Protein backbone atom coordinates (compact mmCIF):
# COMPACT_ATOMS: atom_id res chain seq x y z
CA UNK A 1 0.00 0.00 0.00
CA UNK A 2 1.35 3.41 -0.93
CA UNK A 3 1.10 5.39 2.25
CA UNK A 4 1.82 8.76 0.68
CA UNK A 5 -0.36 8.52 -2.40
CA UNK A 6 -2.56 11.55 -2.97
CA UNK A 7 -3.28 10.89 -6.65
CA UNK A 8 -4.13 7.16 -6.47
CA UNK A 9 -3.17 4.72 -9.13
CA UNK A 10 -5.73 2.24 -10.49
CA UNK A 11 -4.44 -0.44 -8.12
CA UNK A 12 -4.68 1.97 -5.18
CA UNK A 13 -8.23 2.90 -6.18
CA UNK A 14 -9.30 -0.75 -6.32
CA UNK A 15 -7.77 -1.41 -2.89
CA UNK A 16 -9.43 1.69 -1.43
CA UNK A 17 -12.77 0.65 -2.91
CA UNK A 18 -12.51 -2.81 -1.40
CA UNK A 19 -11.56 -1.57 2.09
CA UNK A 20 -14.14 1.25 2.16
CA UNK A 21 -16.98 -0.99 0.96
CA UNK A 22 -16.06 -3.63 3.53
CA UNK A 23 -16.04 -0.93 6.21
CA UNK A 24 -19.47 0.39 5.24
CA UNK A 25 -21.17 -2.98 5.03
CA UNK A 26 -19.58 -4.42 8.18
CA UNK A 27 -20.43 -1.26 10.16
CA UNK A 28 -24.06 -1.22 9.01
CA UNK A 29 -24.45 -4.94 9.71
CA UNK A 30 -22.92 -4.55 13.17
CA UNK A 31 -25.29 -1.69 14.03
CA UNK A 32 -28.22 -3.76 12.76
CA UNK A 33 -27.10 -6.78 14.78
CA UNK A 34 -27.07 -4.79 18.03
CA UNK A 35 -30.89 -4.38 18.44
CA UNK A 36 -31.42 -7.87 17.05
CA UNK A 37 -29.22 -9.36 19.76
CA UNK A 38 -30.65 -7.07 22.45
CA UNK A 39 -34.37 -7.53 21.80
CA UNK A 40 -34.70 -10.79 19.90
CA UNK A 41 -31.94 -12.91 21.46
CA UNK A 42 -32.13 -11.25 24.88
CA UNK A 43 -28.39 -10.49 24.96
CA UNK A 44 -28.27 -7.46 27.27
CA UNK A 45 -24.59 -7.20 28.11
CA UNK A 46 -21.37 -6.23 26.32
CA UNK A 47 -22.04 -7.77 22.88
CA UNK A 48 -24.72 -5.39 21.47
CA UNK A 49 -22.84 -2.40 22.91
CA UNK A 50 -19.65 -3.61 21.21
CA UNK A 51 -21.50 -3.93 17.90
CA UNK A 52 -22.79 -0.35 18.10
CA UNK A 53 -19.46 1.14 19.18
CA UNK A 54 -17.62 -0.68 16.37
CA UNK A 55 -20.18 0.37 13.77
CA UNK A 56 -20.20 4.04 14.72
CA UNK A 57 -16.41 4.32 15.07
CA UNK A 58 -15.78 2.53 11.79
CA UNK A 59 -18.25 4.70 9.86
CA UNK A 60 -16.60 7.83 11.26
CA UNK A 61 -13.19 6.39 10.41
CA UNK A 62 -14.31 5.69 6.84
CA UNK A 63 -15.78 9.16 6.37
CA UNK A 64 -12.53 10.72 7.61
CA UNK A 65 -10.69 9.02 4.75
CA UNK A 66 -12.27 11.42 2.28
CA UNK A 67 -10.68 14.28 4.22
CA UNK A 68 -7.10 13.03 4.82
CA UNK A 69 -6.88 10.64 1.81
CA UNK A 70 -4.51 8.33 3.73
CA UNK A 71 -5.81 4.81 3.20
CA UNK A 72 -3.20 3.37 5.56
CA UNK A 73 -4.68 5.32 8.49
CA UNK A 74 -8.17 4.13 7.69
CA UNK A 75 -7.05 0.53 7.32
CA UNK A 76 -5.00 0.44 10.54
CA UNK A 77 -7.79 1.96 12.63
CA UNK A 78 -10.34 -0.45 11.15
CA UNK A 79 -8.00 -3.37 11.86
CA UNK A 80 -7.45 -2.31 15.48
CA UNK A 81 -11.13 -1.80 16.37
CA UNK A 82 -12.07 -4.89 14.33
CA UNK A 83 -9.63 -7.15 16.19
CA UNK A 84 -10.61 -5.64 19.55
CA UNK A 85 -14.35 -5.91 18.88
CA UNK A 86 -14.10 -9.46 17.54
CA UNK A 87 -11.99 -10.42 20.55
CA UNK A 88 -14.54 -9.03 23.03
CA UNK A 89 -17.51 -10.62 21.28
CA UNK A 90 -15.71 -13.96 20.98
CA UNK A 91 -14.62 -14.01 24.64
CA UNK A 92 -18.12 -13.22 25.91
CA UNK A 93 -20.06 -15.53 23.56
CA UNK A 94 -18.49 -18.91 24.19
CA UNK A 95 -14.77 -18.44 23.68
CA UNK A 96 -13.25 -21.02 21.35
CA UNK A 97 -16.77 -22.30 20.55
CA UNK A 98 -18.10 -18.87 19.57
CA UNK A 99 -19.31 -18.51 15.97
CA UNK A 100 -17.49 -15.17 15.85
CA UNK A 101 -14.18 -16.99 15.59
CA UNK A 102 -14.97 -16.97 11.85
CA UNK A 103 -14.78 -13.17 11.94
CA UNK A 104 -11.19 -13.46 13.15
CA UNK A 105 -10.36 -15.34 9.93
CA UNK A 106 -12.00 -12.54 7.91
CA UNK A 107 -9.72 -10.01 9.63
CA UNK A 108 -6.67 -12.02 8.52
CA UNK A 109 -8.09 -12.17 4.99
CA UNK A 110 -8.60 -8.39 4.98
CA UNK A 111 -4.98 -7.94 6.06
CA UNK A 112 -3.68 -9.95 3.11
CA UNK A 113 -5.88 -7.94 0.75
CA UNK A 114 -3.99 -4.83 1.88
CA UNK A 115 -0.39 -6.13 1.74
CA UNK A 116 1.41 -9.37 2.44
CA UNK A 117 3.17 -7.88 5.46
CA UNK A 118 -0.08 -6.66 7.05
CA UNK A 119 -1.61 -10.05 6.35
CA UNK A 120 1.22 -11.81 8.18
CA UNK A 121 0.92 -9.40 11.10
CA UNK A 122 -2.83 -10.00 11.37
CA UNK A 123 -2.31 -13.75 11.11
CA UNK A 124 0.27 -13.71 13.91
CA UNK A 125 -1.95 -11.57 16.20
CA UNK A 126 -5.08 -13.67 15.56
CA UNK A 127 -3.23 -16.95 16.15
CA UNK A 128 -1.91 -15.63 19.47
CA UNK A 129 -5.41 -14.50 20.44
CA UNK A 130 -6.99 -17.87 19.56
CA UNK A 131 -4.33 -19.65 21.64
CA UNK A 132 -5.08 -17.23 24.48
CA UNK A 133 -8.81 -18.07 24.25
CA UNK A 134 -8.09 -21.78 24.35
CA UNK A 135 -5.66 -21.59 27.26
CA UNK A 136 -7.24 -18.67 29.17
CA UNK A 137 -7.96 -20.84 32.18
CA UNK A 138 -4.25 -21.43 32.59
CA UNK A 139 -3.76 -17.66 32.97
CA UNK A 140 -6.63 -17.52 35.49
CA UNK A 141 -8.83 -15.37 33.29
CA UNK A 142 -12.58 -15.99 33.36
CA UNK A 143 -15.01 -14.69 30.72
CA UNK A 144 -18.71 -15.30 31.20
CA UNK A 145 -20.87 -16.32 28.24
CA UNK A 146 -23.52 -13.57 28.12
CA UNK A 147 -25.57 -15.31 25.42
CA UNK A 148 -28.59 -17.00 27.03
CA UNK A 149 -28.73 -20.76 26.54
CA UNK A 150 -32.05 -20.52 24.66
CA UNK A 151 -30.53 -18.06 22.15
CA UNK A 152 -27.20 -19.72 21.51
CA UNK A 153 -28.29 -21.60 18.36
CA UNK A 154 -29.84 -18.46 16.87
CA UNK A 155 -26.78 -16.46 17.83
CA UNK A 156 -24.54 -19.04 16.12
CA UNK A 157 -26.70 -18.85 13.00
CA UNK A 158 -26.44 -15.05 12.93
CA UNK A 159 -22.68 -15.16 13.48
CA UNK A 160 -22.13 -17.67 10.67
CA UNK A 161 -24.45 -15.82 8.25
CA UNK A 162 -22.64 -12.57 9.04
CA UNK A 163 -19.24 -14.14 8.27
CA UNK A 164 -20.47 -15.80 5.08
CA UNK A 165 -22.09 -12.59 3.84
CA UNK A 166 -18.98 -10.48 4.50
CA UNK A 167 -16.74 -13.07 2.83
CA UNK A 168 -18.91 -13.82 -0.19
CA UNK A 169 -21.13 -10.80 -0.62
CA UNK A 170 -18.42 -8.18 -0.12
CA UNK A 171 -14.89 -9.57 -0.39
CA UNK A 172 -15.78 -12.24 -2.93
CA UNK A 173 -17.80 -9.94 -5.17
CA UNK A 174 -15.20 -7.18 -5.23
CA UNK A 175 -12.31 -9.61 -5.70
CA UNK A 176 -14.15 -11.17 -8.64
CA UNK A 177 -14.63 -7.72 -10.15
CA UNK A 178 -10.95 -6.97 -9.65
CA UNK A 179 -10.02 -10.30 -11.24
CA UNK A 180 -12.18 -9.56 -14.27
CA UNK A 181 -10.64 -6.10 -14.60
CA UNK A 182 -7.18 -7.65 -14.32
CA UNK A 183 -8.03 -10.20 -17.02
CA UNK A 184 -9.32 -7.45 -19.32
CA UNK A 185 -6.16 -5.39 -18.69
CA UNK A 186 -4.01 -8.43 -19.42
CA UNK A 187 -5.77 -9.01 -22.73
CA UNK A 188 -5.34 -5.35 -23.68
CA UNK A 189 -1.63 -5.47 -22.81
CA UNK A 190 -1.18 -8.66 -24.86
CA UNK A 191 -2.97 -7.00 -27.77
CA UNK A 192 -0.73 -3.92 -27.56
CA UNK A 193 2.38 -6.11 -27.25
CA UNK A 194 1.37 -7.99 -30.40
CA UNK A 195 0.79 -4.71 -32.22
CA UNK A 196 4.16 -3.38 -31.05
CA UNK A 197 5.84 -6.61 -32.11
CA UNK A 198 4.38 -6.32 -35.61
CA UNK A 199 5.42 -2.66 -35.72
CA UNK A 200 8.95 -3.47 -34.52
CA UNK A 201 9.27 -6.20 -37.15
CA UNK A 202 8.17 -3.74 -39.79
CA UNK A 203 10.78 -1.25 -38.55
CA UNK A 204 13.55 -3.86 -38.77
CA UNK A 205 12.30 -4.81 -42.24
CA UNK A 206 12.38 -1.19 -43.43
CA UNK A 207 15.79 -0.52 -41.87
CA UNK A 208 17.13 -3.63 -43.62
CA UNK A 209 15.66 -2.46 -46.95
CA UNK A 210 17.12 1.01 -46.50
CA UNK A 211 20.55 -0.36 -45.63
CA UNK A 212 20.43 -2.68 -48.64
CA UNK A 213 19.52 0.29 -50.84
CA UNK A 214 22.50 2.25 -49.51
CA UNK A 215 24.70 -0.81 -50.00
CA UNK A 216 23.53 -1.19 -53.59
CA UNK A 217 24.29 2.47 -54.29
CA UNK A 218 27.80 2.08 -52.87
CA UNK A 219 28.32 -1.06 -54.90
CA UNK A 220 27.09 0.70 -58.03
CA UNK A 221 29.48 3.59 -57.45
CA UNK A 222 32.33 1.17 -56.86
CA UNK A 223 31.69 -0.49 -60.24
CA UNK A 224 31.49 2.88 -62.02
CA UNK A 225 34.83 4.25 -60.82
CA UNK A 226 38.25 3.48 -62.27
CA UNK A 227 40.17 4.71 -59.23
CA UNK A 228 41.30 1.58 -57.40
CA UNK A 229 41.61 3.30 -54.02
CA UNK A 230 38.11 4.79 -54.30
CA UNK A 231 36.73 1.44 -55.49
CA UNK A 232 38.27 -0.30 -52.44
CA UNK A 233 36.82 2.27 -50.05
CA UNK A 234 33.34 2.03 -51.57
CA UNK A 235 33.48 -1.78 -51.54
CA UNK A 236 34.49 -1.78 -47.86
CA UNK A 237 31.65 0.60 -47.02
CA UNK A 238 29.29 -1.61 -49.00
CA UNK A 239 30.32 -4.65 -46.93
CA UNK A 240 30.00 -2.75 -43.64
CA UNK A 241 26.48 -1.62 -44.45
CA UNK A 242 25.50 -5.14 -45.46
CA UNK A 243 26.83 -6.55 -42.19
CA UNK A 244 24.40 -4.24 -40.36
CA UNK A 245 21.56 -5.08 -42.73
CA UNK A 246 21.96 -8.80 -41.98
CA UNK A 247 21.33 -8.11 -38.26
CA UNK A 248 18.01 -6.38 -39.00
CA UNK A 249 17.07 -9.09 -41.48
CA UNK A 250 17.60 -11.80 -38.86
CA UNK A 251 15.65 -9.87 -36.22
CA UNK A 252 12.79 -9.44 -38.70
CA UNK A 253 12.74 -13.17 -39.46
CA UNK A 254 12.89 -14.41 -35.83
CA UNK A 255 10.25 -14.56 -33.13
CA UNK A 256 12.62 -13.00 -30.57
CA UNK A 257 12.92 -9.37 -31.62
CA UNK A 258 15.41 -8.43 -28.91
CA UNK A 259 18.30 -10.82 -29.62
CA UNK A 260 19.75 -12.89 -32.47
CA UNK A 261 21.48 -16.25 -32.59
CA UNK A 262 25.02 -15.12 -33.15
CA UNK A 263 26.43 -18.30 -34.65
CA UNK A 264 23.81 -18.15 -37.42
CA UNK A 265 24.61 -14.48 -37.99
CA UNK A 266 28.39 -15.01 -38.25
CA UNK A 267 27.87 -17.98 -40.58
CA UNK A 268 25.66 -15.88 -42.87
CA UNK A 269 28.04 -12.89 -42.71
CA UNK A 270 31.10 -15.03 -43.47
CA UNK A 271 29.37 -16.61 -46.46
CA UNK A 272 28.41 -13.21 -47.83
CA UNK A 273 31.95 -11.79 -47.43
CA UNK A 274 33.54 -14.87 -48.99
CA UNK A 275 31.26 -14.65 -52.00
CA UNK A 276 31.72 -10.87 -52.30
CA UNK A 277 35.52 -10.63 -51.92
CA UNK A 278 36.97 -14.00 -52.95
CA UNK A 279 36.75 -13.33 -56.70
CA UNK A 280 39.63 -15.69 -57.52
CA UNK A 281 37.74 -18.65 -56.00
CA UNK A 282 40.50 -19.60 -53.58
CA UNK A 283 39.77 -22.48 -51.20
CA UNK A 284 39.17 -20.46 -48.04
CA UNK A 285 37.55 -22.33 -45.17
CA UNK A 286 35.70 -20.77 -42.26
CA UNK A 287 36.01 -22.40 -38.85
CA UNK A 288 33.24 -20.98 -36.69
CA UNK A 289 33.23 -22.01 -33.04
CA UNK A 290 30.64 -19.97 -31.19
CA UNK A 291 28.81 -21.03 -28.07
CA UNK A 292 25.02 -21.09 -28.09
CA UNK A 293 24.47 -17.43 -27.36
CA UNK A 294 22.26 -14.54 -28.34
CA UNK A 295 23.32 -10.90 -28.46
CA UNK A 296 21.10 -7.83 -28.50
CA UNK A 297 21.31 -5.40 -31.39
CA UNK A 298 23.49 -2.96 -29.39
CA UNK A 299 26.19 -5.65 -29.16
CA UNK A 300 25.53 -7.59 -32.35
CA UNK A 301 26.19 -4.72 -34.79
CA UNK A 302 29.57 -3.44 -33.49
CA UNK A 303 30.74 -7.02 -32.96
CA UNK A 304 29.61 -7.91 -36.48
CA UNK A 305 31.52 -4.95 -37.90
CA UNK A 306 34.69 -6.10 -36.10
CA UNK A 307 34.32 -9.58 -37.56
CA UNK A 308 33.52 -8.12 -40.98
CA UNK A 309 36.68 -5.94 -40.93
CA UNK A 310 38.91 -8.82 -39.92
CA UNK A 311 37.45 -11.26 -42.45
CA UNK A 312 37.62 -8.60 -45.21
CA UNK A 313 41.29 -7.84 -44.47
CA UNK A 314 42.15 -11.54 -44.35
CA UNK A 315 40.42 -12.32 -47.63
CA UNK A 316 42.11 -9.37 -49.32
CA UNK A 317 45.65 -9.58 -47.93
CA UNK A 318 46.34 -12.82 -46.03
CA UNK A 319 46.29 -15.36 -48.87
CA UNK A 320 48.10 -13.52 -51.67
CA UNK A 321 50.61 -16.26 -52.54
CA UNK A 322 48.43 -19.29 -51.88
CA UNK A 323 45.25 -20.83 -53.20
CA UNK A 324 43.93 -22.02 -49.87
CA UNK A 325 43.65 -20.90 -46.27
CA UNK A 326 41.45 -20.80 -43.22
CA UNK A 327 39.83 -18.13 -41.06
CA UNK A 328 38.76 -19.01 -37.53
CA UNK A 329 36.11 -17.16 -35.53
CA UNK A 330 35.52 -18.18 -31.92
CA UNK A 331 33.40 -16.64 -29.16
CA UNK A 332 33.38 -18.09 -25.66
CA UNK A 333 32.45 -16.92 -22.20
CA UNK A 334 35.09 -17.63 -19.59
CA UNK A 335 33.89 -14.95 -17.19
CA UNK A 336 30.45 -14.05 -15.76
CA UNK A 337 30.65 -10.58 -17.33
CA UNK A 338 33.05 -10.71 -20.29
CA UNK A 339 33.11 -12.63 -23.57
CA UNK A 340 36.20 -13.44 -25.59
CA UNK A 341 36.28 -13.15 -29.39
CA UNK A 342 39.23 -14.81 -31.13
CA UNK A 343 39.82 -13.98 -34.81
CA UNK A 344 42.59 -15.87 -36.57
CA UNK A 345 43.87 -16.62 -40.05
CA UNK A 346 46.80 -18.73 -41.24
CA UNK A 347 47.88 -16.25 -43.93
CA UNK A 348 51.13 -14.42 -44.54
CA UNK A 349 50.77 -12.03 -41.59
CA UNK A 350 52.23 -8.53 -41.73
CA UNK A 351 54.86 -6.29 -40.27
CA UNK A 352 53.14 -4.64 -37.31
CA UNK A 353 55.04 -1.34 -37.43
CA UNK A 354 54.56 -0.84 -41.15
CA UNK A 355 50.90 -1.83 -40.94
CA UNK A 356 50.09 0.57 -38.10
CA UNK A 357 51.72 3.45 -39.96
CA UNK A 358 50.04 2.68 -43.26
CA UNK A 359 47.53 5.12 -44.68
CA UNK A 360 45.05 2.35 -45.44
CA UNK A 361 44.77 1.06 -41.85
CA UNK A 362 41.17 2.28 -41.62
CA UNK A 363 40.03 -1.25 -40.78
CA UNK A 364 42.33 -1.50 -37.76
CA UNK A 365 41.24 1.92 -36.47
CA UNK A 366 37.61 0.89 -36.84
CA UNK A 367 38.24 -2.35 -34.94
CA UNK A 368 39.88 -0.41 -32.09
CA UNK A 369 37.01 2.08 -31.89
CA UNK A 370 34.38 -0.66 -31.95
CA UNK A 371 36.27 -2.56 -29.23
CA UNK A 372 36.13 0.54 -27.02
CA UNK A 373 32.41 0.82 -27.78
CA UNK A 374 32.02 -2.73 -26.42
CA UNK A 375 34.05 -1.72 -23.35
CA UNK A 376 36.63 -4.28 -24.31
CA UNK A 377 40.33 -4.77 -24.89
CA UNK A 378 42.20 -5.78 -28.04
CA UNK A 379 45.25 -8.04 -28.10
CA UNK A 380 46.98 -8.58 -31.49
CA UNK A 381 49.62 -11.13 -32.33
CA UNK A 382 51.13 -11.30 -35.81
CA UNK A 383 54.37 -11.72 -37.65
CA UNK A 384 55.37 -12.28 -41.27
CA UNK A 385 54.49 -15.81 -42.33
CA UNK A 386 52.60 -16.79 -39.17
CA UNK A 387 49.15 -15.34 -39.79
CA UNK A 388 47.18 -12.87 -37.68
CA UNK A 389 45.36 -13.39 -34.39
CA UNK A 390 43.11 -10.88 -32.66
CA UNK A 391 41.77 -11.60 -29.16
CA UNK A 392 39.04 -9.18 -28.09
CA UNK A 393 37.57 -9.28 -24.61
CA UNK A 394 34.22 -7.44 -24.45
CA UNK A 395 30.97 -6.97 -22.55
CA UNK A 396 27.45 -7.18 -23.87
CA UNK A 397 26.04 -3.67 -24.09
CA UNK A 398 22.82 -3.43 -22.12
CA UNK A 399 19.75 -2.08 -23.89
CA UNK A 400 18.69 1.39 -22.70
Amino acid sequence: MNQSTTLPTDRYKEKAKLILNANYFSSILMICLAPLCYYLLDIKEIIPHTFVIYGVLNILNTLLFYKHKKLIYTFLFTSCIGILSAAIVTLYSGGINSPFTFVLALIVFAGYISTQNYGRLHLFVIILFILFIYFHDVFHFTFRNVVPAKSQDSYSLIGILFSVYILGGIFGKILLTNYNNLYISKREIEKKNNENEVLLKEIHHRVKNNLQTISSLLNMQARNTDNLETKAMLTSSHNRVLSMAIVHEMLYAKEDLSKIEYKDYVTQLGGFLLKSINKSDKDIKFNIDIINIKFNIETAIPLGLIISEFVTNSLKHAFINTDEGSISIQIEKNDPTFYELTLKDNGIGYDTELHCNAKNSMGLKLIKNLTRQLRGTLDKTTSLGDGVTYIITFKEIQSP
Side-chain angles (χ1 to χ4, degrees):
M1 182 183 299
N2 189 346
Q3 299 181 22
S4 61
T5 304
T6 55
L7 294 174
T9 61
D10 289 341
R11 182 171 179 269
Y12 182 87
K13 288 180 180 179
E14 291 296 333
K15 189 179 293 185
K17 179 181 178 182
L18 176 60
I19 292 174
L20 296 179
N21 283 349
N23 282 1
Y24 281 130
F25 280 103
S26 62
S27 299
I28 292 170
L29 284 174
M30 285 289 198
I31 293 174
C32 292
L33 282 177
L36 187 66
C37 290
Y38 193 90
Y39 295 107
L40 185 63
L41 302 182
D42 199 29
I43 304 173
K44 306 295 184 180
E45 301 178 60
I46 301 176
I47 292 177
H49 306 89
T50 302
F51 286 160
V52 171
I53 292 171
Y54 169 84
V56 172
L57 288 178
N58 203 31
I59 287 178
L60 291 175
N61 173 49
T62 306
L63 292 175
L64 283 173
F65 167 77
Y66 296 102
K67 182 177 180 180
H68 57 67
K69 299 295 184 181
K70 302 292 185 181
L71 187 60
I72 184 64
Y73 298 159
T74 303
F75 173 76
L76 288 177
F77 187 80
T78 297
S79 298
C80 291
I81 62 174
I83 292 174
L84 184 60
S85 300
I88 293 172
V89 172
T90 300
L91 287 171
Y92 287 94
S93 61
I96 199 70
N97 296 314
S98 172
F100 263 77
T101 53
F102 291 108
V103 177
L104 299 174
L106 291 179
I107 294 173
V108 176
F109 184 68
Y112 274 109
I113 287 176
S114 176
T115 65
Q116 186 175 14
N117 289 333
Y118 283 126
R120 288 173 179 171
L121 178 62
H122 283 63
L123 179 62
F124 179 73
V125 171
I126 296 301
I127 288 176
L128 287 180
F129 175 69
I130 292 174
L131 292 174
F132 169 75
I133 295 175
Y134 187 78
F135 293 106
H136 72 275
D137 290 337
V138 177
F139 301 102
H140 305 290
F141 288 105
T142 301
F143 300 95
R144 182 169 54 88
N145 189 345
V146 299
V147 180
K150 62 179 181 179
S151 302
Q152 287 182 358
D153 288 345
S154 299
Y155 177 79
S156 297
L157 176 64
I158 290 173
I160 293 172
L161 290 176
F162 172 79
S163 301
V164 170
Y165 180 77
I166 293 293
L167 180 62
I170 300 176
F171 287 152
K173 182 180 178 181
I174 297 177
L175 286 176
L176 179 60
T177 301
N178 291 344
Y179 174 80
N180 289 335
N181 292 338
L182 181 63
Y183 178 76
I184 293 171
S185 298
K186 181 182 176 183
R187 292 293 299 271
E188 290 176 351
I189 291 172
E190 288 177 350
K191 181 180 178 181
K192 289 182 179 179
N193 284 340
N194 291 334
E195 291 174 353
N196 290 337
E197 195 170 297
V198 172
L199 178 61
L200 189 56
K201 280 195 171 190
E202 180 62 24
I203 290 172
H204 283 302
H205 183 60
R206 293 193 179 190
V207 170
K208 180 210 68 169
N209 289 343
N210 291 337
L211 289 173
Q212 286 183 332
T213 300
I214 295 171
S215 178
S216 298
L217 291 172
L218 291 170
N219 196 33
M220 187 184 303
Q221 288 180 322
R223 287 198 303 266
N224 292 335
T225 182
D226 295 327
N227 187 297
L228 295 180
E229 185 175 351
T230 302
K231 184 186 291 286
M233 291 174 61
L234 290 171
T235 301
S236 296
S237 297
H238 159 77
N239 293 337
R240 289 164 187 155
V241 172
L242 255 295
S243 70
M244 291 186 284
I246 292 173
V247 171
H248 291 280
E249 183 178 21
M250 294 188 73
L251 287 172
Y252 170 74
K254 301 292 184 180
E255 291 295 325
D256 187 355
L257 297 177
S258 61
K259 297 195 174 188
I260 63 171
E261 293 280 355
Y262 216 65
K263 184 174 183 179
D264 293 344
Y265 168 71
V266 173
T267 301
Q268 189 172 337
L269 177 61
F272 160 73
L273 292 173
L274 185 63
K275 182 179 179 181
S276 174
I277 300 172
N278 186 26
K279 301 300 184 180
S280 57
D281 293 328
K282 294 182 179 181
D283 185 16
I284 309 299
K285 293 183 173 58
F286 277 97
N287 300 316
I288 298 174
D289 181 15
I290 297 178
I291 58 176
N292 183 23
I293 192 168
K294 295 181 179 181
F295 285 128
N296 57 31
I297 191 170
E298 288 81 6
T299 304
I301 287 181
L303 194 62
L305 287 170
I306 290 174
I307 294 172
S308 175
E309 290 301 318
F310 180 86
V311 172
T312 299
N313 288 337
S314 294
L315 291 173
K316 285 182 176 180
H317 309 296
F319 311 110
I320 295 176
N321 299 322
T322 181
D323 291 330
E324 60 182 21
S326 67
I327 299 174
S328 299
I329 304 170
Q330 181 184 50
I331 300 178
E332 54 187 351
K333 190 173 186 180
N334 298 323
D335 181 270
T337 304
F338 289 92
Y339 295 86
E340 186 175 274
L341 167 65
T342 303
L343 302 168
K344 184 177 181 180
D345 67 45
N346 63 348
I348 60 173
Y350 55 78
D351 185 289
T352 305
E353 184 176 352
L354 291 176
H355 181 77
C356 290
N357 294 329
K359 293 182 179 179
N360 62 350
S361 60
M362 173 66 181
L364 182 57
K365 291 179 182 177
L366 184 58
I367 289 175
K368 289 180 178 179
N369 290 335
L370 292 169
T371 300
R372 282 196 293 269
Q373 183 178 330
L374 292 170
R375 299 172 189 172
T377 58
L378 172 63
D379 181 24
K380 307 185 297 293
T381 59
T382 181
S383 61
L384 291 174
D386 291 333
V388 178
T389 301
Y390 284 2
I391 299 177
I392 298 172
T393 304
F394 67 95
K395 292 174 64 174
E396 182 173 16
I397 306 300
Q398 298 301 318
S399 302

